[in-house]
Amino acid sequence: MQLWRKFYLYVGVGIIAANTLVAEDPAHPTESESQTRGRTVTVAAVPSRARIHLGSYRIGETIKVNVQIKNGTGTSLTLRAIDPDCGCLAVVPDRRDFDQGEVIRLSLHLASTNKIANVRRSIRILFQESSEPFVLDVDVRVTGPMRLRESTLHIDDPVSAFRVDGNLQEAGIRIARIESVRGSFVVNGAVQQTANRFHFNATPTFSFGDAGDLVRVHYHDLADQQQIADLPIALRFTTPIRFLPSTLNVDQQGNHWIGQARMIIVPGKLGVHVRQLRFVADTEIASGSSESTVSVAVHSVSSVLSKIHVVISGDGTGSTQASLEKKIAFPKSLTVRGPDNRVLGILYLARHGDE
């Protein structure tokens, strides 16, 4: 149960983190969308939700603005609490009570960020007159000297490198290095840069689902000052099958290696029955070695979960692990393919005790 919890948490967090905007709280659906004029928002009813855009700001710039909340409910209101969704946002009202038609002023102080993105923060405003909040979504566009040409990348093969391209929007920028903030990829080699573009190659560190990350760019500006910019990126695997564990450690039993794993299928994404799947061994045959025989038995548990039993067989002439290793080319992985030969998932293999 704990393993399943970790799996859904990872995939879920990856999907949420890929979006730079905070999703609306499903527990408090919008009952009315207030119209905004400048930085004044009218509360027409409680509960309800409104959205306001504070404009564009440069990365590293602290945002301090005032927003007016007008009482349009037809009755007096008294502030009970103000609850921003992030510790980076401080909200201070100028008073607590206001009658119909009056306004209160909220002083907003949003901490500086290196993330170049459209950022949304949500403020829950609670009144004495209601147990449900009025929610104010505050949008800010954070700009900087660079951006990614595509912020969502679809990946087919977890062992192959993918390329990330970006544009430089200011002169004199020299990129020193690039790294993943949340560890979903590893940069391969040096960053390539021209006057107005850059790109790098990377390899994912996960093999299934979605992951939201930040491309952290360390660079020198025109004044030769060291700077940092974070660019949101979403990595999404197109393969609909994942294995738990992703690397199967098989145990030796006579002249066989045997192991079991769980195969998880993304609902509605496979398109074929599990009986139509083919498991293809990726094996490098060295001189003096013979190819091993791999058999896979699949036992369906549900529409999304199957258990697979893997048996890797030798030629029967050896009974110890040492003799088997000399005679048999051990496969590195099993690639799952459909009837159209498309890669649907990869299970990595290792002998128990190997590094």
Side-chain angles (χ1 to χ4, degrees):
M1 186 67 183
Q2 185 179 5
L3 190 57
W4 275 98
R5 188 179 297 112
K6 289 182 179 179
F7 162 64
Y8 285 117
L9 177 62
Y10 179 78
V11 175
V13 167
I15 294 172
I16 295 171
N19 192 346
T20 60
L21 301 184
V22 178
E24 292 190 354
D25 185 353
H28 303 290
T30 301
E31 293 191 7
S32 65
E33 184 78 12
S34 297
Q35 298 297 318
T36 63
R37 290 185 178 180
R39 289 178 180 169
T40 299
V41 178
T42 299
V43 181
V46 180
S48 62
R49 193 169 202 130
R51 182 167 61 245
I52 190 169
H53 201 293
L54 301 182
S56 297
Y57 296 84
R58 174 89 178 175
I59 57 169
E61 181 180 0
T62 300
I63 301 170
K64 295 182 179 180
V65 297
N66 291 325
V67 174
Q68 294 189 126
I69 306 296
K70 183 177 180 179
N71 184 355
T73 63
T75 184
S76 298
L77 293 175
T78 300
L79 281 177
R80 176 162 54 92
I82 296 179
D83 181 25
D85 68 345
C86 176
C88 61
L89 175 60
V91 182
V92 179
D94 66 343
R95 58 196 179 98
R96 294 282 173 176
D97 303 299
F98 62 136
D99 294 329
Q100 161 64 23
E102 293 184 339
V103 299
I104 60 173
R105 182 178 292 105
L106 300 181
S107 175
L108 276 56
H109 184 169
L110 183 60
S112 62
T113 178
N114 291 320
K115 183 161 62 175
I116 302 174
N118 294 316
V119 178
R120 173 175 294 175
R121 300 300 178 202
S122 295
I123 307 169
R124 287 163 40 95
I125 304 174
L126 295 107
F127 300 100
Q128 297 286 1
E129 293 74 16
S130 175
S131 60
E132 298 296 321
F134 168 73
V135 181
L136 177 62
D137 293 322
V138 178
D139 290 352
V140 176
R141 183 170 182 260
V142 181
T143 63
M146 63 192 67
R147 65 178 180 87
L148 297 182
R149 300 184 69 182
E150 291 185 35
S151 58
T152 300
L153 299 181
H154 294 85
I155 305 173
D156 297 321
D157 186 353
V159 298
S160 297
F162 59 90
R163 173 167 161 161
V164 180
D165 289 273
N167 291 335
L168 299 175
Q169 298 169 298
E170 295 180 6
I173 292 176
R174 293 180 292 109
I175 296 177
R177 72 179 191 277
I178 288 178
E179 61 189 357
S180 163
V181 172
R182 296 170 184 152
S184 67
F185 62 88
V186 176
V187 176
N188 303 328
V191 180
Q192 303 300 313
Q193 175 184 345
T194 62
N196 54 11
R197 290 187 179 183
F198 69 94
H199 75 265
F200 64 93
N201 294 320
T203 304
T205 58
F206 66 109
S207 59
F208 180 81
D210 302 337
D213 205 337
L214 295 171
V215 176
R216 175 156 291 174
V217 183
H218 299 260
Y219 67 98
H220 295 265
D221 59 18
L222 188 60
D224 202 28
Q225 298 295 313
Q226 295 184 8
Q227 306 288 353
I228 290 177
D230 291 334
L231 309 176
I233 190 171
L235 305 179
R236 296 179 177 174
F237 273 103
T238 59
T239 50
I241 291 177
R242 184 194 181 188
F243 293 95
L244 293 176
S246 58
T247 298
L248 177 60
N249 285 280
V250 294
D251 295 302
Q252 184 187 359
Q253 297 182 17
N255 64 329
H256 305 292
W257 284 284
I258 298 175
Q260 295 185 30
R262 283 171 288 183
M263 184 172 70
I264 301 170
I265 301 171
V266 176
K269 292 294 183 67
L270 187 58
V272 298
H273 195 276
V274 292
R275 289 195 297 266
Q276 296 179 275
L277 301 178
R278 296 184 298 114
F279 293 81
V280 181
D282 177 15
T283 307
E284 294 180 358
I285 303 177
S287 176
S289 298
S290 60
E291 186 173 2
S292 56
T293 301
V294 181
S295 61
V296 179
V298 180
H299 305 282
S300 295
V301 177
S302 67
S303 59
V304 298
L305 174 64
S306 297
K307 292 183 179 180
I308 68 166
H309 185 75
V310 179
V311 178
I312 304 170
S313 303
D315 58 7
T317 61
S319 59
T320 65
Q321 181 170 348
S323 61
L324 283 171
E325 289 177 0
K326 291 179 180 178
K327 293 181 175 295
I328 300 172
F330 190 85
K332 298 185 299 181
S333 64
L334 290 176
T335 300
V336 186
R337 295 184 180 271
D340 57 356
N341 209 37
R342 183 169 65 96
V343 175
L344 303 175
I346 297 177
L347 173 63
Y348 299 97
L349 301 171
R351 287 174 287 233
H352 192 75
D354 283 359
E355 298 262 335

